[in-house]
Amino acid sequence: MIRIDRVCIYIIILGMIFIIPSILYITFLDELFALILGGIAIFDSVFNNNWKRYRLLWIIIGIITLYAIYSLTCVHFTVPAGIALDWIIELKTFISFIVFFSIKPQLTAKDKQLITYICFFNAIVIGTILFIGHQYVKMVVSHVAYGGSIIFISCIYILYCNIDKEGKIPKKIILYTVAMLTVGLLCTRSKYYGIYILTITFLFFYRPNFFRNFGLRHAIAVAAVFLLVLAASWRKIEYYFLTGESTTFDPSAIESFARPVLYVTGFLILLDFFPFGTGLGSFGTFASEKYYSDVYYYYGINNVWGISPNTGFFICDAYYTSLAQFGIVGVMLFIWFWVYIYNFLRVLLRKNPVLYRYPYTIGALIICFILIECTSGTLFTQQLGMFSMILLGMISGTGQSIKESDTQKTDFLQKKTIKI
């Protein structure tokens, strides 16, 4: 009989094996894996009566489905096919995260060793290509940004798979990982510089209870890290929010740069279509590009280079802009989701800050990685984002198990006390 937890592990292994070719040549893998994982959740619920285990999944599917109904009935900016396509795209990553979060599959020693070897291989291949020259990157992973992301994801899996029973990672593994992350700097992406600085900080300077005894020294350290990340990302921040492709901010020339215009228009959508936005497949998504949305005509940005029907390759370029189609309610739900996850990471530190230091560190880095990526990419809804969230799901699932165990013990003690 096939165990569903082993199927989850096989998906991780296959995902890591094909993570490089999946960018350009096997692009359907994320949908296939999401379909399998969704099938696992339904199978487990129907045949094992584990509906409550996937409660978060049913809630998110329900929310996205309500948005689909809203898009079909209350606003009419795109065709039903565009709404259906966006429904699938938006759910992929959430399904993957929640299934691993709910099932909590455990990696065996052989699983960890195999995944480590695969991830080392992936990082070495991408690092070599980045070193040889960016022109070769286009042939393998399309863009240097994907190269940096693959190296980062490979490194966090290596770190996770080499945590021993005492919660420690061998120093040589940390040094190898840092060396590979350093090679990843050749991707020359500002957002990678930011996550690189955060990773080095968490691995070498962060300690459990860092914020509990927060003083001037800690404040200076946090400010220094923040300034380093800001400095590393400043070119991207300046481009997206201040100047676009020009050297000074000029409101009258806003049509000349596509990405900042999407952010500005997204903000207007939040105000104009309060509180639920313009609906699925209507703005800042692949579906709104494939089935060109009327929202771009509505706001008069259909002639902007990079957003027009003929040059729409900048439409699906930043996940944050797509939140506008969900309105202010969607933005609040997005924030709630990350706060909800982080609470389970905090449980790890409260339970045993020494044993769970590295799982917490890796989980926190994944959250930072996704949130940084969302500023100028849609990795969150792609395979790289999916496998980042899968690992986060496993780590958060551990936190949930600890929380449930502590709650049960507390309830038992209370009942025992009352009985006495």
Side-chain angles (χ1 to χ4, degrees):
M1 184 175 179
I2 299 176
R3 290 167 45 189
I4 59 175
D5 61 329
R6 292 306 301 169
V7 174
C8 291
I9 300 302
Y10 297 148
I11 286 177
I12 291 178
I13 294 171
L14 288 173
M16 291 298 103
I17 290 174
F18 293 107
I19 197 169
I20 295 176
S22 69
I23 303 297
L24 271 180
Y25 303 104
I26 318 177
T27 56
F28 61 86
L29 273 183
D30 51 347
E31 285 87 1
L32 176 61
F33 289 146
L35 179 63
I36 294 172
L37 291 171
I40 288 174
I42 293 173
F43 177 88
D44 192 25
S45 298
V46 172
F47 293 98
N48 299 323
N49 197 29
N50 282 327
W51 295 97
K52 290 183 179 180
R53 171 187 277 187
Y54 306 96
R55 180 172 53 189
L56 179 62
L57 178 60
W58 311 136
I59 291 172
I60 291 180
I61 289 177
I63 290 171
I64 301 296
T65 302
L66 286 174
Y67 268 101
I69 296 170
Y70 165 77
S71 306
L72 287 167
T73 58
C74 299
V75 288
H76 305 279
F77 286 112
T78 190
V79 296
I83 295 171
L85 177 61
D86 203 34
W87 185 86
I88 294 171
I89 291 173
E90 296 295 339
L91 281 175
K92 284 188 305 183
T93 302
F94 289 112
I95 289 173
S96 303
F97 166 81
I98 296 170
V99 169
F100 277 81
F101 173 74
S102 303
I103 294 176
K104 305 171 183 60
Q106 298 298 312
L107 295 169
T108 65
K110 289 184 177 179
D111 294 334
K112 293 178 180 180
Q113 188 178 47
L114 178 58
I115 293 171
T116 297
Y117 288 150
I118 294 169
C119 290
F120 266 122
F121 176 80
N122 290 336
I124 291 170
V125 168
I126 295 299
T128 302
I129 294 172
L130 289 174
F131 184 79
I132 293 173
H134 288 191
Q135 65 271 24
Y136 297 100
V137 175
K138 293 181 179 179
M139 299 169 54
V140 181
V141 291
S142 174
H143 195 279
V144 290
Y146 288 119
S149 296
I150 289 172
I151 287 179
F152 174 78
I153 293 168
S154 298
C155 287
I156 59 174
Y157 268 93
I158 291 170
L159 290 172
Y160 181 78
C161 290
N162 285 275
I163 301 173
D164 62 24
K165 293 180 179 180
E166 296 179 354
K168 298 179 180 179
I169 298 176
K171 288 184 179 180
K172 65 177 183 179
I173 294 294
I174 293 178
L175 292 176
Y176 290 154
T177 301
V178 171
M180 290 186 293
L181 286 169
T182 303
V183 173
L185 293 171
L186 293 172
C187 75
T188 68
R189 299 296 95 181
S190 298
K191 53 189 177 183
Y192 184 86
Y193 299 160
I195 195 62
Y196 175 84
I197 293 169
L198 288 173
T199 303
I200 298 300
T201 302
F202 269 100
L203 288 178
F204 293 105
F205 302 105
Y206 174 78
R207 293 292 181 274
N209 301 322
F210 179 83
F211 293 102
R212 183 170 293 179
N213 301 313
F214 198 77
L216 179 61
R217 182 166 57 90
H218 298 91
I220 293 173
V222 171
V225 172
F226 175 77
L227 290 174
L228 282 172
V229 174
L230 185 65
S233 308
W234 179 250
R235 286 180 60 192
K236 192 67 65 176
I237 294 171
E238 184 181 31
Y239 177 79
Y240 281 121
F241 302 107
L242 299 177
T243 66
E245 292 180 341
S246 59
T247 56
T248 58
F249 180 71
D250 181 7
S252 64
I254 200 167
E255 298 86 350
S256 66
F257 40 87
R259 289 163 178 167
V261 120
L262 287 171
Y263 273 101
V264 172
T265 306
F267 179 73
L268 293 176
I269 289 172
L270 293 178
L271 298 177
D272 295 340
F273 291 87
F274 182 88
F276 299 114
T278 50
L280 291 179
S282 64
F283 186 76
T285 62
F286 173 73
S288 71
E289 175 192 348
K290 184 173 182 178
Y291 302 95
Y292 196 76
S293 171
D294 289 341
V295 168
Y296 304 116
Y297 294 107
Y298 183 91
Y299 284 96
I301 59 174
N302 56 294
N303 291 320
V304 176
W305 186 84
I307 306 178
S308 69
N310 297 323
T311 63
F313 37 80
F314 280 159
I315 287 176
C316 183
D317 197 53
Y319 186 79
Y320 287 142
T321 61
S322 70
L323 290 177
Q325 66 178 9
F326 296 99
I328 195 66
V329 170
V331 172
M332 298 303 297
L333 287 171
F334 184 75
I335 295 171
W336 169 86
F337 175 75
W338 293 108
V339 172
Y340 178 79
I341 294 173
Y342 183 73
N343 283 333
F344 292 111
L345 298 184
R346 291 179 60 196
V347 169
L348 298 176
L349 289 185
R350 289 200 296 267
K351 181 65 176 180
N352 192 326
V354 176
L355 182 63
Y356 294 113
R357 174 196 168 186
Y358 284 112
Y360 169 83
T361 293
I362 294 168
L365 284 173
I366 292 172
I367 292 176
C368 292
F369 172 66
I370 294 294
L371 295 181
I372 291 173
E373 278 289 335
C374 285
T375 62
S376 54
T378 53
L379 179 139
F380 180 65
T381 58
Q382 300 172 25
Q383 179 157 322
L384 297 181
M386 175 186 292
F387 278 89
S388 301
M389 294 297 291
I390 279 174
L391 182 53
L392 181 60
M394 294 174 67
I395 296 170
S396 302
T398 302
Q400 186 194 44
S401 296
I402 292 171
K403 187 175 182 178
E404 290 178 348
S405 177
D406 289 346
T407 301
Q408 290 173 359
K409 288 180 181 178
T410 301
D411 291 343
F412 174 77
L413 290 173
Q414 287 177 345
K415 289 178 181 178
K416 191 174 182 181
T417 302
I418 293 171
K419 187 177 180 179
I420 292 172

Short mmCIF file of all heavy atoms in Angstrom, two decimals, residues 40-65:
data_model
loop_
_atom_site.label_atom_id
_atom_site.label_comp_id
_atom_site.label_asym_id
_atom_site.label_seq_id
_atom_site.Cartn_x
_atom_site.Cartn_y
_atom_site.Cartn_z
N ILE A 40 -4.09 13.98 -3.17
CA ILE A 40 -3.76 13.35 -1.89
C ILE A 40 -4.65 13.88 -0.77
O ILE A 40 -5.16 13.11 0.06
CB ILE A 40 -2.27 13.58 -1.55
CG1 ILE A 40 -1.38 12.74 -2.46
CG2 ILE A 40 -1.99 13.27 -0.08
CD1 ILE A 40 0.10 13.02 -2.30
N ALA A 41 -4.83 15.20 -0.74
CA ALA A 41 -5.67 15.81 0.30
C ALA A 41 -7.11 15.30 0.21
O ALA A 41 -7.73 14.98 1.24
CB ALA A 41 -5.63 17.33 0.17
N ILE A 42 -7.64 15.22 -1.00
CA ILE A 42 -9.02 14.75 -1.18
C ILE A 42 -9.12 13.27 -0.80
O ILE A 42 -10.06 12.85 -0.11
CB ILE A 42 -9.47 14.98 -2.64
CG1 ILE A 42 -9.57 16.48 -2.92
CG2 ILE A 42 -10.81 14.29 -2.89
CD1 ILE A 42 -9.83 16.81 -4.37
N PHE A 43 -8.16 12.47 -1.26
CA PHE A 43 -8.14 11.03 -0.95
C PHE A 43 -8.09 10.81 0.56
O PHE A 43 -8.86 10.00 1.11
CB PHE A 43 -6.93 10.38 -1.62
CG PHE A 43 -6.79 8.92 -1.33
CD1 PHE A 43 -7.42 7.96 -2.11
CD2 PHE A 43 -6.02 8.48 -0.24
CE1 PHE A 43 -7.29 6.60 -1.83
CE2 PHE A 43 -5.88 7.13 0.05
CZ PHE A 43 -6.52 6.19 -0.75
N ASP A 44 -7.20 11.51 1.23
CA ASP A 44 -7.04 11.36 2.68
C ASP A 44 -8.29 11.80 3.42
O ASP A 44 -8.67 11.20 4.44
CB ASP A 44 -5.83 12.18 3.14
CG ASP A 44 -5.41 11.85 4.55
OD1 ASP A 44 -5.68 10.72 5.02
OD2 ASP A 44 -4.78 12.72 5.21
N SER A 45 -8.95 12.82 2.91
CA SER A 45 -10.16 13.32 3.56
C SER A 45 -11.33 12.36 3.37
O SER A 45 -12.07 12.06 4.32
CB SER A 45 -10.52 14.70 3.00
OG SER A 45 -9.50 15.64 3.25
N VAL A 46 -11.49 11.85 2.15
CA VAL A 46 -12.64 10.99 1.84
C VAL A 46 -12.49 9.61 2.46
O VAL A 46 -13.41 9.10 3.10
CB VAL A 46 -12.82 10.88 0.31
CG1 VAL A 46 -13.89 9.84 -0.03
CG2 VAL A 46 -13.20 12.23 -0.29
N PHE A 47 -11.33 8.99 2.29
CA PHE A 47 -11.16 7.59 2.70
C PHE A 47 -10.67 7.44 4.14
O PHE A 47 -10.90 6.40 4.76
CB PHE A 47 -10.20 6.87 1.74
CG PHE A 47 -10.76 6.71 0.36
CD1 PHE A 47 -10.42 7.59 -0.65
CD2 PHE A 47 -11.64 5.68 0.08
CE1 PHE A 47 -10.93 7.44 -1.93
CE2 PHE A 47 -12.17 5.52 -1.20
CZ PHE A 47 -11.82 6.41 -2.20
N ASN A 48 -10.01 8.45 4.67
CA ASN A 48 -9.52 8.38 6.05
C ASN A 48 -10.24 9.35 6.98
O ASN A 48 -9.87 9.47 8.15
CB ASN A 48 -8.02 8.65 6.10
CG ASN A 48 -7.22 7.64 5.30
OD1 ASN A 48 -7.56 6.45 5.28
ND2 ASN A 48 -6.17 8.09 4.64
N ASN A 49 -11.22 10.05 6.43
CA ASN A 49 -12.02 11.00 7.20
C ASN A 49 -11.16 12.05 7.91
O ASN A 49 -11.39 12.39 9.07
CB ASN A 49 -12.89 10.25 8.23
CG ASN A 49 -14.02 11.11 8.74
OD1 ASN A 49 -14.52 12.01 8.04
ND2 ASN A 49 -14.45 10.87 9.97
N ASN A 50 -10.18 12.56 7.18
CA ASN A 50 -9.27 13.55 7.74
C ASN A 50 -9.56 14.96 7.21
O ASN A 50 -8.65 15.73 6.90
CB ASN A 50 -7.81 13.18 7.42
CG ASN A 50 -7.27 12.09 8.31
OD1 ASN A 50 -7.64 12.00 9.49
ND2 ASN A 50 -6.42 11.24 7.77
N TRP A 51 -10.82 15.30 7.14
CA TRP A 51 -11.22 16.61 6.62
C TRP A 51 -10.64 17.75 7.45
O TRP A 51 -10.20 18.77 6.92
CB TRP A 51 -12.74 16.72 6.59
CG TRP A 51 -13.40 15.77 5.63
CD1 TRP A 51 -13.94 14.56 5.92
CD2 TRP A 51 -13.55 15.96 4.22
NE1 TRP A 51 -14.43 13.97 4.78
CE2 TRP A 51 -14.22 14.81 3.72
CE3 TRP A 51 -13.20 16.97 3.32
CZ2 TRP A 51 -14.53 14.64 2.37
CZ3 TRP A 51 -13.52 16.81 1.97
CH2 TRP A 51 -14.17 15.67 1.52
N LYS A 52 -10.64 17.57 8.77
CA LYS A 52 -10.15 18.64 9.65
C LYS A 52 -8.66 18.91 9.46
O LYS A 52 -8.19 20.02 9.68
CB LYS A 52 -10.43 18.29 11.12
CG LYS A 52 -11.90 18.33 11.48
CD LYS A 52 -12.09 18.04 12.97
CE LYS A 52 -13.57 18.11 13.36
NZ LYS A 52 -13.76 17.83 14.80
N ARG A 53 -7.93 17.88 9.06
CA ARG A 53 -6.48 18.03 8.86
C ARG A 53 -6.17 19.10 7.82
O ARG A 53 -5.18 19.82 7.94
CB ARG A 53 -5.89 16.69 8.43
CG ARG A 53 -4.44 16.78 8.00
CD ARG A 53 -3.95 15.46 7.43
NE ARG A 53 -3.52 14.54 8.47
CZ ARG A 53 -2.92 13.38 8.24
NH1 ARG A 53 -2.70 12.99 7.00
NH2 ARG A 53 -2.53 12.61 9.23
N TYR A 54 -7.05 19.23 6.82
CA TYR A 54 -6.81 20.17 5.72
C TYR A 54 -7.74 21.38 5.79
O TYR A 54 -8.10 21.97 4.77
CB TYR A 54 -7.00 19.45 4.37
CG TYR A 54 -6.15 18.21 4.23
CD1 TYR A 54 -6.69 16.95 4.52
CD2 TYR A 54 -4.82 18.30 3.86
CE1 TYR A 54 -5.91 15.81 4.41
CE2 TYR A 54 -4.03 17.16 3.74
CZ TYR A 54 -4.58 15.92 4.01
OH TYR A 54 -3.80 14.79 3.92
N ARG A 55 -8.13 21.73 6.99
CA ARG A 55 -9.07 22.83 7.18
C ARG A 55 -8.60 24.12 6.53
O ARG A 55 -9.36 24.82 5.86
CB ARG A 55 -9.30 23.06 8.68
CG ARG A 55 -10.27 24.18 9.01
CD ARG A 55 -10.57 24.19 10.50
NE ARG A 55 -9.33 24.22 11.28
CZ ARG A 55 -9.29 24.07 12.60
NH1 ARG A 55 -10.40 23.85 13.28
NH2 ARG A 55 -8.13 24.13 13.24
N LEU A 56 -7.29 24.44 6.68
CA LEU A 56 -6.76 25.65 6.07
C LEU A 56 -6.89 25.61 4.55
O LEU A 56 -7.17 26.63 3.91
CB LEU A 56 -5.30 25.84 6.48
CG LEU A 56 -4.57 27.07 5.91
CD1 LEU A 56 -5.25 28.36 6.36
CD2 LEU A 56 -3.10 27.08 6.33
N LEU A 57 -6.69 24.43 3.98
CA LEU A 57 -6.80 24.29 2.52
C LEU A 57 -8.22 24.57 2.05
O LEU A 57 -8.43 25.29 1.07
CB LEU A 57 -6.38 22.88 2.10
CG LEU A 57 -6.50 22.56 0.60
CD1 LEU A 57 -5.62 23.50 -0.21
CD2 LEU A 57 -6.12 21.09 0.34
N TRP A 58 -9.21 24.01 2.75
CA TRP A 58 -10.61 24.24 2.35
C TRP A 58 -10.98 25.72 2.49
O TRP A 58 -11.73 26.25 1.67
CB TRP A 58 -11.56 23.38 3.18
CG TRP A 58 -11.17 21.94 3.29
CD1 TRP A 58 -11.18 21.17 4.41
CD2 TRP A 58 -10.72 21.07 2.23
NE1 TRP A 58 -10.76 19.90 4.14
CE2 TRP A 58 -10.47 19.79 2.81
CE3 TRP A 58 -10.48 21.25 0.87
CZ2 TRP A 58 -10.01 18.71 2.08
CZ3 TRP A 58 -10.01 20.17 0.12
CH2 TRP A 58 -9.78 18.92 0.71
N ILE A 59 -10.43 26.38 3.51
CA ILE A 59 -10.71 27.80 3.70
C ILE A 59 -10.16 28.62 2.54
O ILE A 59 -10.86 29.47 1.97
CB ILE A 59 -10.11 28.30 5.04
CG1 ILE A 59 -10.87 27.70 6.22
CG2 ILE A 59 -10.15 29.84 5.12
CD1 ILE A 59 -10.23 27.99 7.57
N ILE A 60 -8.91 28.35 2.15
CA ILE A 60 -8.28 29.12 1.07
C ILE A 60 -8.95 28.82 -0.27
O ILE A 60 -9.19 29.74 -1.07
CB ILE A 60 -6.77 28.83 1.02
CG1 ILE A 60 -6.10 29.44 2.26
CG2 ILE A 60 -6.14 29.39 -0.26
CD1 ILE A 60 -4.61 29.23 2.33
N ILE A 61 -9.27 27.55 -0.52
CA ILE A 61 -10.00 27.22 -1.76
C ILE A 61 -11.34 27.93 -1.78
O ILE A 61 -11.76 28.47 -2.82
CB ILE A 61 -10.19 25.69 -1.89
CG1 ILE A 61 -8.85 25.02 -2.19
CG2 ILE A 61 -11.19 25.37 -3.00
CD1 ILE A 61 -8.92 23.51 -2.26
N GLY A 62 -12.00 27.97 -0.63
CA GLY A 62 -13.28 28.66 -0.56
C GLY A 62 -13.16 30.15 -0.85
O GLY A 62 -13.98 30.72 -1.58
N ILE A 63 -12.12 30.78 -0.30
CA ILE A 63 -11.91 32.21 -0.52
C ILE A 63 -11.64 32.50 -1.99
O ILE A 63 -12.24 33.42 -2.60
CB ILE A 63 -10.74 32.73 0.35
CG1 ILE A 63 -11.14 32.72 1.83
CG2 ILE A 63 -10.34 34.14 -0.07
CD1 ILE A 63 -9.98 33.00 2.78
N ILE A 64 -10.73 31.74 -2.60
CA ILE A 64 -10.40 31.96 -4.02
C ILE A 64 -11.61 31.68 -4.90
O ILE A 64 -11.85 32.37 -5.90
CB ILE A 64 -9.22 31.07 -4.45
CG1 ILE A 64 -7.98 31.35 -3.59
CG2 ILE A 64 -8.88 31.30 -5.92
CD1 ILE A 64 -7.43 32.75 -3.74
N THR A 65 -12.41 30.67 -4.53
CA THR A 65 -13.62 30.36 -5.31
C THR A 65 -14.65 31.48 -5.20
O THR A 65 -15.31 31.83 -6.19
CB THR A 65 -14.23 29.03 -4.83
OG1 THR A 65 -13.26 27.98 -4.97
CG2 THR A 65 -15.48 28.68 -5.64
#
